[in-house]
Amino acid sequence: MTLLEDARAMHEELRLFRRAMHAEPEIGLDLPRTQERVLAALDGLQLESSTGERTTSVTAVLRGGANGAATPGGAATDAAIPRPSVLLRADMDALPVHELLDLDYRSRIDGAMHACGHDLHTAMLVGAARLLHARREELPGDVVFMFQPGEEGFGGGRIMVEDGVLEAAGRRVDAAYGMHVFSALEPYGRFATKPGTMLAASDSFAVTFRGKGGHGSAPHGAKDPVPAAAELVTALQTTVTREFSIFDPIVVTVGVLRAGTKRNVIPDEAYVEATVRTFSPEAQARATQVLPRVAHGIAAARGLEVSAEYLTEYPITANTPAEADFSQAVVEEMFGDVQRHHRWVDPIAGSEDFSYVLREVPGSFIGLGAVAPGVDEMSTEFNHSPRAFFDDGVLADGAAVYAELALRKLAALAADRG
């Protein structure tokens, strides 16, 4: 049987794994039930597995047996030629979202939901581990499976990189691949990637204006911070269009605007918090300077004190051009259909902490449409919605692509090294 046929033969196992995980979502860096579920799914495979100390991560290394038997630490038969290694990553955490879908496997945890499809990612990577384990004697190198918590704003990818996941095989991996399902944007079963920037950097911008409270009937006797906060909301949008190039744009969205307790009371403070998305290191660096300047200028004009904190968070997710091309070729050749892959022209403004991996090693991040078959992908609820639906019919194909990427990359690397 082909790898794809083997993957489809295990579809029901992957579906049951995914649905059990969906029903018990966990948030952040501490995912004990999820970690236990992943370890149980990998039990019986000849993997070198370890768990994180700062997170409930799982790292598993599969030693290939081709071109000389693998040894602990991954040394090749010829010690002068290091064995190639490839990393495959899945994130495992859920979101603080109350699920509104009426499913028999809906979340049983109030206020938590796999609204971004990480349960599918985890199931697909478990499937890839099983597929590659069955072919371990064909592998001329090693595969690192990275099961990561805390993608949703907790920097789990950064922590795992700091803790050595890229060197888990005994030396730095040669390439890395990650995958992400979409509940909209791409039709059922279509993969997508692009060279260069695929996803934006994500930063936070928080501003507190401090004035002097008073009676709502006598604003002249107070220093009202509310108009300054309102002015900042609109000024930020003007700043986006007047101080940044339309060919290297930024997105600023105010998600928090908080002030006051009663309509006739002028408060002492007003608070504004925004997310900032940029598509290049240059635009990100400029935003760190320009946005605080705008807030300070408004405060000065209104006679207020201000604190403006700009925090850089996730970097841009940038695919190595050659690896994006390689990913596209693998998908098109596996399925014998160029329509199964969509090469994006433009990036999207979502962000990903797989960016920390791609900042260190070559690789590619790949999208996968998990919209229900026949449903218009432009009209459905997108990731993070309490009604976001991900069709798990894509699990086998996703697992097969993960495994095929590792197989082909290891073969190419081994051939290059002679």
Side-chain angles (χ1 to χ4, degrees):
M1 294 176 70
T2 67
L3 188 149
L4 185 57
E5 289 170 338
D6 283 348
R8 289 175 175 173
M10 70 169 67
H11 168 73
E12 183 61 16
E13 296 175 61
L14 300 182
R15 184 180 71 87
L16 291 174
F17 177 95
R18 178 261 167 153
R19 294 189 176 191
M21 186 172 164
H22 188 92
E24 291 190 285
E26 295 177 295
I27 297 168
L29 297 170
D30 187 25
L31 319 177
R33 292 189 302 275
T34 303
Q35 183 187 59
E36 182 180 353
R37 182 170 280 118
V38 169
L39 290 170
L42 300 179
D43 188 40
L45 304 183
Q46 296 177 32
L47 302 171
E48 299 169 13
S49 296
S50 60
T51 56
E53 294 185 1
R54 292 195 286 166
T55 73
T56 52
S57 63
V58 176
T59 301
V61 180
L62 174 64
R63 303 293 185 187
N67 294 350
T71 61
T77 302
D78 181 352
I81 304 175
R83 290 168 57 83
S85 59
V86 170
L87 181 144
L88 303 176
R89 175 268 202 169
D91 41 8
M92 306 186 294
D93 56 319
L95 283 157
V97 172
H98 184 73
E99 184 164 8
L100 297 180
L101 292 174
D102 186 17
L103 304 170
D104 57 6
Y105 56 93
R106 66 178 292 170
S107 171
R108 296 197 294 267
I109 310 299
D110 287 342
M113 175 189 175
H114 272 293
C116 206
H118 297 185
D119 50 336
L120 279 81
H121 306 164
T122 306
M124 291 189 296
L125 192 57
V126 165
R130 294 178 180 178
L131 291 168
L132 290 169
H133 181 266
R135 291 162 173 78
R136 61 192 179 280
E137 297 305 321
E138 305 170 24
L139 296 175
D142 305 326
V143 183
V144 177
F145 301 98
M146 175 183 177
F147 293 92
Q148 179 211 310
E151 190 280 328
E152 296 290 356
F154 295 88
R158 173 184 55 77
I159 294 171
M160 289 191 73
V161 168
E162 291 173 354
D163 289 349
V165 70
L166 301 181
E167 291 79 28
R171 66 278 174 208
R172 177 153 289 206
V173 296
D174 297 286
Y177 304 98
M179 205 176 301
H180 206 300
V181 293
F182 299 126
S183 64
L185 189 65
E186 291 289 346
Y188 176 84
R190 188 163 77 177
F191 296 83
T193 192
K194 71 177 293 293
T197 301
M198 185 169 179
L199 299 173
S202 174
D203 300 332
S204 71
F205 181 51
V207 178
T208 301
F209 292 103
R210 297 183 181 87
K212 184 175 73 172
H215 199 288
S217 66
H220 59 283
K223 290 185 177 181
D224 192 348
V226 175
E231 187 175 351
L232 178 64
V233 173
T234 56
L236 289 174
Q237 304 312 311
T238 303
T239 301
V240 163
T241 62
R242 293 297 179 270
E243 299 208 39
F244 293 87
S245 170
I246 61 172
F247 300 107
D248 188 11
I250 76 169
V251 176
V252 180
T253 298
V254 173
V256 179
L257 180 58
R258 186 168 59 239
T261 57
K262 191 172 176 64
R263 69 179 184 275
N264 64 346
V265 176
I266 295 173
D268 282 336
E269 295 184 351
Y271 179 76
V272 179
E273 188 174 349
T275 184
V276 183
R277 307 299 171 109
T278 53
F279 299 92
S280 72
E282 294 77 18
Q284 185 182 35
R286 180 165 174 74
T288 66
Q289 302 300 313
V290 170
L291 271 57
R293 189 199 74 210
V294 172
H296 282 280
I298 291 172
R302 302 291 172 254
L304 304 171
E305 296 180 0
V306 64
S307 62
E309 185 177 34
Y310 191 108
L311 295 177
T312 56
E313 295 176 340
Y314 290 177
I316 60 172
T317 302
N319 292 332
T320 310
E323 295 300 338
D325 292 343
F326 170 70
S327 301
Q328 178 176 347
V330 166
V331 169
E332 292 177 352
E333 291 170 18
M334 276 188 70
F335 299 100
D337 182 0
V338 296
Q339 299 302 315
R340 287 297 300 271
H341 184 276
H342 179 202
R343 190 179 180 93
W344 286 356
V345 175
D346 300 314
I348 61 174
S351 63
E352 244 289 343
D353 74 350
F354 189 59
S355 54
Y356 290 106
V357 173
L358 293 180
R359 194 166 64 174
E360 300 293 329
V361 297
S364 180
F365 195 59
I366 304 157
L368 172 58
V371 176
V375 172
D376 177 13
E377 67 274 12
M378 303 310 293
S379 65
T380 58
E381 301 269 357
F382 194 51
N383 298 33
H384 290 213
S385 165
R387 299 178 185 84
F389 174 77
F390 301 89
D391 195 297
D392 49 25
V394 302
L395 291 173
D397 286 3
V401 168
Y402 263 136
E404 189 72 17
L405 287 167
L407 277 167
R408 295 199 190 191
K409 176 53 66 171
L410 288 175
L413 290 167
D416 288 343
R417 296 175 186 183

